[in-house]
Amino acid sequence: MNRALFILFSFTVLLAETRTIAISYFDNTSGSEQYNPLSKGLADMLITDLSNVKSIQIVEREKLESLLKEIDLGSGKFIDKNTAQRLGKGLGAGYILTGSFLIMDEMMRIDARLVDVGTGEITMAEEITGKKDSFFELEKELVLKMISAFDLDISRSEQRKVNKVQTKSFDAFSSYSFGLDAFDKDKLEESQKFFENAVDIDDSYDIAWDKL
């Protein structure tokens, strides 16, 4: 095999092994609307972390937001398996991660389902529970379970990037989430204030700085 054919073959194999995944918003089942924007913040955290894995192609959150505005979910916001498949196909994804989160007092639970868009099969179902203030650890646990579900071997460099904590402050994370929600609603001045508040709380919150 000459060099050109080898490169073409290697590139084709790489494409075949790359999984395209969409991360949908997680439903807030806490019974408190104040936590609604966290669904976008959680999705954004997952997208940021999983984007560091070369063998995974992540659909941009903005594409999901645009498609959700076109799809009528009916009276409820819950994304069931059929809706997840519809979203995944619309986004050109092979898999879609969806689920819900519950915050009660100082505890937080994340229920996640990974749906094969082609078959509708749920290939991963996880329940992760911990303290609300340790939300970043729960999110990291979910990321690692996703990587494990695909049986991926990631490099030390990828592992280092995946392990990087975006923020340990729940208040900063909450403000950032509200900023995303305001931005999606074209409330740009309001979103800027939320992002500024997020970095005021946690000066090392890089993705909040990026949004600013």
Side-chain angles (χ1 to χ4, degrees):
M1 183 182 297
N2 63 39
R3 181 176 175 81
L5 286 176
F6 176 77
I7 293 174
L8 179 61
F9 174 76
S10 299
F11 182 69
T12 302
V13 170
L14 179 62
L15 285 179
E17 292 179 347
T18 300
R19 281 84 165 180
T20 303
I21 305 172
I23 310 292
S24 74
Y25 300 144
F26 281 50
D27 296 299
N28 171 25
T29 58
S30 304
S32 176
E33 292 187 358
Q34 67 171 318
Y35 295 128
N36 283 349
L38 300 189
S39 62
K40 295 187 177 183
L42 179 57
D44 192 77
M45 287 182 73
L46 290 164
I47 288 170
T48 299
D49 283 348
L50 290 169
S51 294
N52 291 311
V53 181
K54 294 178 181 179
S55 53
I56 293 178
Q57 182 176 346
I58 297 293
V59 176
E60 295 176 353
R61 192 190 67 84
E62 289 77 10
K63 291 184 178 179
L64 171 67
E65 179 67 24
S66 178
L67 185 59
L68 279 173
K69 289 177 180 178
E70 297 177 13
I71 293 180
D72 181 12
L73 296 181
S75 58
K77 295 182 179 180
F78 182 74
I79 299 178
D80 59 19
K81 186 176 72 173
N82 293 331
T83 306
Q85 273 190 282
R86 185 180 174 190
L87 279 174
K89 290 177 180 178
L91 295 168
Y95 298 86
I96 184 165
L97 181 71
T98 185
S100 62
F101 69 90
L102 170 69
I103 296 177
M104 185 173 294
D105 297 326
E106 296 304 312
M107 299 301 294
M108 182 174 186
R109 188 184 76 202
I110 300 174
D111 293 292
R113 302 181 302 279
L114 184 65
V115 179
D116 185 317
V117 173
T119 65
E121 178 186 359
I122 297 176
T123 61
M124 183 195 81
E126 297 289 345
E127 178 184 307
I128 303 170
T129 304
K131 293 183 178 180
K132 182 185 72 173
D133 288 341
S134 299
F135 68 96
F136 57 93
E137 295 179 357
L138 306 184
E139 185 268 343
K140 293 297 183 189
E141 185 176 344
L142 179 53
V143 168
L144 294 178
K145 287 184 181 296
M146 289 268 296
I147 292 173
S148 177
F150 287 115
D151 195 25
L152 300 178
D153 289 322
I154 63 176
S155 67
R156 288 179 62 188
S157 176
E158 289 173 314
Q159 184 72 57
R160 180 175 179 274
K161 292 176 182 177
V162 166
N163 287 341
K164 185 179 185 300
V165 175
Q166 297 168 39
T167 183
K168 292 185 178 182
S169 168
F170 184 83
D171 289 337
F173 167 62
S174 180
S175 189
Y176 177 77
S177 301
F178 272 85
L180 290 178
D181 191 48
F183 182 84
D184 290 338
K185 295 174 181 176
D186 293 324
K187 299 178 180 179
L188 302 186
E189 291 185 7
E190 184 177 329
S191 70
Q192 182 175 350
K193 290 179 181 178
F194 280 121
F195 293 141
E196 288 176 346
N197 187 56
V199 298
D200 284 343
I201 297 171
D202 183 358
D203 185 68
S204 64
Y205 202 170
D206 290 342
I207 58 174
W209 279 111
D210 290 343
K211 286 292 188 296
L212 276 175

